[in-house]
Structures are given as structure tokens and as C-alpha cells.
Amino acid sequence: MSSHREAPAISTDPVADNTDVYAFVSPDRPDTVTLIANFIPLEEPAGGPNFFRFGDDVLYEIHIDNDGDGHEDVTFDFRFTTRVMNPATFLYNVGPISSLTDPNWNVRQTYEVGVTRDNGRGRKPRTVAGRNLATPPVNIGPRSTPDYEALAKAAIHSLPDGVRVFAGQRDEGFFVDLGSIFDLGTLRPVQMLHLIPSANAMGEDGAGGYNVHSIAIQVPISMITADGKVPTDVMAAGSTIGVWATASRQRVTLRTKERGADSVGPWVQVSRLGNPLINEVVIPLGKKDDWNGAHPSRDSQFASHYAAPELAALLPVLYPGVFPRLGALTESGASRDDLVAILLTGIPGGLVDGFQNFTGTTQADMLRLNVAIPPTGTPSPLGLIGGDAAGFPNGRRVFDDVVAIELRAVAGAVYPLIDSTFEPDAAAGGLADGTSNDRPYLTVFPYLGTPHQGYEHTHH
């Protein structure tokens, strides 16, 4: 969670496992949008001597739909190359690393950034936006990486047309009580009310102390809208874009004694992510691998799971007497059109005063971001349900508490948007797992915090 080890096949392929996707209007450059895709779940900081890195044989992509059909109109792709400077040593570095060209640094990755656009004439030509861009080393410890953030800042690259990009290790910014939630849906702050009760307690961030490998790109809004302009009307249809990320591998891998592994053939999508927690807790086990390989434009085949999520039926069972209204709603067989709107089409105008992020009737799992809504100086981690229209489910910021937001939505807290006669259970509006991130976020690009060092770190 948000999408860590969420499907049987991808759980064995961590470098291609897309863990989180973020999309938001940049608070430090409000004429741009920041897009972030994270990979490698639960990355142990002390992972030497072969520290974590992106896959040279993985095609990483961030897609943008700007006309509501569930198909990508702009795609940014990232392709990595690893070089070992001295193959005669087992060491990642042979001394302190003080710069991105330091000869002490032995295992280095560079990458290329490509941009593919739909030109409206049936062709999608790719252009190269940047080559031989350096990633920073991992955060090893005080002797090897004594000034880590200086290395990370040096790895922020400026590309043509006002684009900035970063790829490298960051703190795992997603927070969730993994150990509790997957122990029969326990929420520690209210576990006394559980079917198998125990004393209430504070939540424990199961992702705390771990890192991820993050791809972050900051692009002018005018570069990704359908008309090439910066929208100012929140209620205009062209103000909303859809965002998702994918990882793909080539169809065939050949292994030989002489060359090791070579990959050939067309690219095959093995992981994708738009909205958080979907493949984790909405898509059933038998369809998780299919969902990872499917294109968002075909998500109507999964719509029944959004309209009748299993968790909505489980909550009244796991917490007896706490969710009687949710139980009655579920037993009635009513479609959860509130969740379908939030997750598959966007919220139409007229349901929330002065807000919409509707992309049309095509059902597609994407983060939907209304780029005409500016960042707020007093953001709420609860996003839209916390009165902050700049947050999830309007895109997703790194600090948005998506676990609490989605728990409350599934429990019926937003069902009155489509049925004003429905009164949610009292507990629905306060559900949370009681966690927060274990270290601060940055206020500037790339926003995710300094990664934990291998020498000294703790989990929980």
C-alpha cells in the first residue's frame, strides 16, 4: 500500500513495481504541474553492497490524458543505464562521494527522458528531452554520503521548455499501518470496537524507515493541456487532466553464460497505478495481474468492483454495531456511484460547490487533476473532504492522507453527494489508521523527503 506488492506477479519484480503516483499544481511554481511515480516498495536503506537502483531493462512512463478518453495524449518515458566504473571491487563506493562525478563512486546510473505526443493524425512521435542525466547515489551513511541533499539537488536537471526532472532515492512518503490493516482490517485507534477487540492504540507507520526510488518531473501546465493554454475556469471541461504511470518489460528475456540476460521484443505493461489503494483493496485477487496489465480506457471491465467494494461489506462485519447504515446500504445492492465518480470518471459539477474534476463518461482509473485550482497556503491532508480542493481526489499531493480519505469514502461519508437522504454512520467521518509520515517533506521540488541512510535508521 498504496500499491506495494499489490499483485501476485509484480510482488516478485520490485524494480517494476509502481508504488505511488502523485500529481499536483506545484506550490513553488504554480504555473507548472509536478508528476511523481515511485518504484521499489519497502526499500531497505542498508541494502548494500548492491544497493537499490532503477531497472535498466524497465521502461518507466508517466501518462497524461487531456481529452477524457482514457488514452494518453502526452507521455514522459524514462530509460536507465548503469555503469560500473571499477568491476574489480565489491564496493559501491571506495571513499566519500562529494559530487555526481566523484571517482570514489563506483556504481552510477544515468537516464534518458523522452516525450511522446498524440498529434491528432494517428501518429505519436517521440522526441528526446534529455540524455545522460545523472541520478544521485543512494544515501549510504555519514562517511560515504556526508552531504546527501547536496548530491540530490545536483541531480535536479533543467530541460528545454521549463521542464525540471529528478530520478533517484527518496524517503517513502506514503504512510500506512500495514501490520494492522492486513490483520483482519484492524484500525488501532478504534480496535476496541473490532470483532476481535484489543485496547485502542496509536497507529504504526509500516512504511516508516524505508525508501523508494522516485521519478519526478515538473512541467508547464501549458505543455500538457489539450489547447496548450493555462486554464483559469475551474468549471471548464478542459481544466482537468488524467494522470497514471506504468512500468513495462520486453516480451522475451534470453539468458546465456556469456552475456547474462538480454531482453528483446515489444514492451509489455507489467505494472500501473492511478488512484491509490485500488489494486490493493478494490480489485480481487484473481484479477490483480490483469488489472496491472490493462489500459485505463478498458477499466469498465472492473467497474463492478468499484461500485460494490468488498471493504464496504467487511466493515460492518469487522466492527459490529458501528456501521449499521453502511451495512444496510451494502445489503440493498445499491451501486456505489459516489466511488465510481471519484475514481473512474471524476466528480461532475454541481455535487461540490465550485468544484469539478470530471473528464467525461469514459471509465478510467486515473488521478484527475483540475489544474485551474491553485495550491493553498493552508493545505489539509484530508484534501477535498477536509475543505481543500487542491488535494486528493483532485490529483494527489505527497502529504495527502489517502488512507483516511478512502476509508471514509468507502464507509459512506461521501455517499450523500449522490443521495441527500442518506445519513452516514457517525464513525464514517472519523476513520483513520492513526499514522503520519516519519520525516518531513520538502517544500520544493522534488518534495519527497531525504531518504533514510543505511548506517542509521529505524522502522516504525
Side-chain angles (χ1 to χ4, degrees):
M1 297 172 70
S2 154
S3 191
H4 299 51
R5 299 176 50 80
E6 81 291 347
I10 201 62
S11 67
T12 66
D13 189 8
V15 296
D17 192 348
N18 189 178
T19 66
D20 284 287
V21 175
Y22 304 93
F24 51 92
V25 177
S26 313
D28 55 333
R29 294 177 67 199
D31 60 339
T32 69
V33 163
T34 294
L35 311 169
I36 302 174
N38 291 343
F39 297 86
I40 310 178
L42 303 175
E43 185 178 297
E44 171 59 48
N50 296 297
F51 289 99
F52 293 96
R53 63 178 187 261
F54 294 104
D56 291 350
D57 53 354
V58 178
L59 172 63
Y60 301 96
E61 296 176 292
I62 299 176
H63 308 276
I64 298 164
D65 169 24
N66 59 27
D67 59 10
D69 63 357
H71 290 275
E72 53 271 42
D73 297 296
V74 183
T75 294
F76 299 96
D77 67 77
F78 307 82
R79 308 172 194 224
F80 292 84
T81 302
T82 301
R83 291 184 300 153
V84 177
M85 312 305 291
N86 178 10
T89 178
F90 73 91
L91 293 167
Y92 181 86
N93 59 296
V94 296
I97 303 173
S98 60
S99 73
L100 299 183
T101 58
D102 196 313
N104 288 331
W105 183 18
N106 190 34
V107 183
R108 309 183 187 187
Q109 265 197 329
T110 57
Y111 62 103
E112 176 180 294
V113 179
V115 184
T116 303
R117 293 179 174 278
D118 185 349
N119 63 8
R121 298 187 296 275
R123 294 181 62 249
K124 296 183 178 182
R126 177 181 183 268
T127 59
V128 176
R131 286 191 175 95
N132 296 317
L133 304 174
T135 68
V138 299
N139 193 5
I140 303 169
R143 296 164 186 82
S144 295
T145 48
D147 191 355
Y148 189 79
E149 273 308 299
L151 296 171
K153 288 178 181 177
I156 297 174
H157 304 283
S158 295
L159 305 182
D161 302 318
V163 174
R164 294 200 296 172
V165 66
F166 170 88
Q169 190 180 57
R170 301 310 293 166
D171 168 55
E172 169 58 275
F174 177 65
F175 47 95
V176 62
D177 195 333
L178 278 172
S180 178
I181 285 178
F182 285 112
D183 185 13
L184 293 179
T186 305
L187 300 172
R188 290 185 214 260
V190 292
Q191 62 189 5
M192 182 59 75
L193 301 175
H194 195 276
L195 182 66
I196 306 173
S198 58
N200 292 344
M202 295 294 295
E204 296 185 3
D205 179 13
Y210 292 102
N211 297 325
V212 291
H213 263 61
S214 182
I215 296 171
I217 187 166
Q218 196 173 70
V219 299
I221 293 173
S222 59
M223 185 177 181
I224 55 177
T225 54
D227 62 3
K229 299 178 181 179
V230 179
T232 57
D233 181 2
V234 171
M235 304 309 290
S239 296
T240 299
I241 60 171
V243 178
W244 73 99
T246 60
S248 301
R249 287 190 174 278
Q250 287 177 281
R251 187 176 298 276
V252 178
T253 299
L254 302 175
R255 300 184 188 277
T256 63
K257 288 183 178 180
E258 296 78 13
R259 295 176 54 85
D262 285 331
S263 297
V264 296
W267 293 101
V268 178
Q269 179 180 305
V270 296
S271 177
R272 64 139 163 164
L273 184 62
N275 287 295
L277 305 170
I278 298 305
N279 211 4
E280 226 89 11
V281 296
V282 172
I283 305 302
L285 188 61
K287 295 183 179 180
K288 288 181 181 293
D289 289 336
D290 293 340
W291 192 92
N292 263 344
H295 193 274
S297 63
R298 298 182 60 244
D299 278 344
S300 60
Q301 66 182 307
F302 304 107
S304 62
H305 304 297
Y306 294 76
E310 184 180 5
L311 182 58
L314 285 174
L315 282 173
V317 176
L318 294 174
Y319 294 88
V322 178
F323 298 102
R325 292 167 183 156
L326 175 63
L329 176 64
T330 302
E331 290 174 5
S332 74
S335 175
R336 292 298 304 273
D337 291 343
D338 55 328
L339 302 180
V340 172
I342 291 168
L343 300 170
L344 288 180
T345 65
I347 300 172
L351 296 183
V352 179
D353 288 345
F355 175 83
Q356 65 89 23
N357 64 352
F358 185 62
T359 55
T361 58
T362 298
Q363 294 180 334
D365 190 295
M366 308 182 289
L367 283 177
R368 288 171 169 81
L369 175 64
N370 188 319
V371 297
I373 298 175
T376 176
T378 55
S380 167
L382 293 176
L384 188 61
I385 66 172
D388 179 3
F392 184 76
N394 186 39
R396 180 186 173 191
R397 300 165 300 192
V398 293
F399 53 81
D400 283 339
D401 190 348
V402 294
V403 173
I405 296 169
E406 292 198 352
L407 277 173
R408 297 178 190 191
V410 168
V414 298
Y415 193 75
L417 290 177
I418 64 166
D419 182 356
S420 60
T421 67
F422 180 78
E423 185 177 349
D425 297 296
L431 280 182
D433 69 344
T435 61
S436 59
N437 201 36
D438 60 335
R439 59 176 40 191
Y441 302 99
L442 304 183
T443 59
V444 295
F445 186 81
Y447 302 102
L448 291 170
T450 303
H452 297 267
Q453 62 174 232
Y455 176 75
E456 184 175 2
H457 68 279
T458 59
H459 299 301
H460 291 309

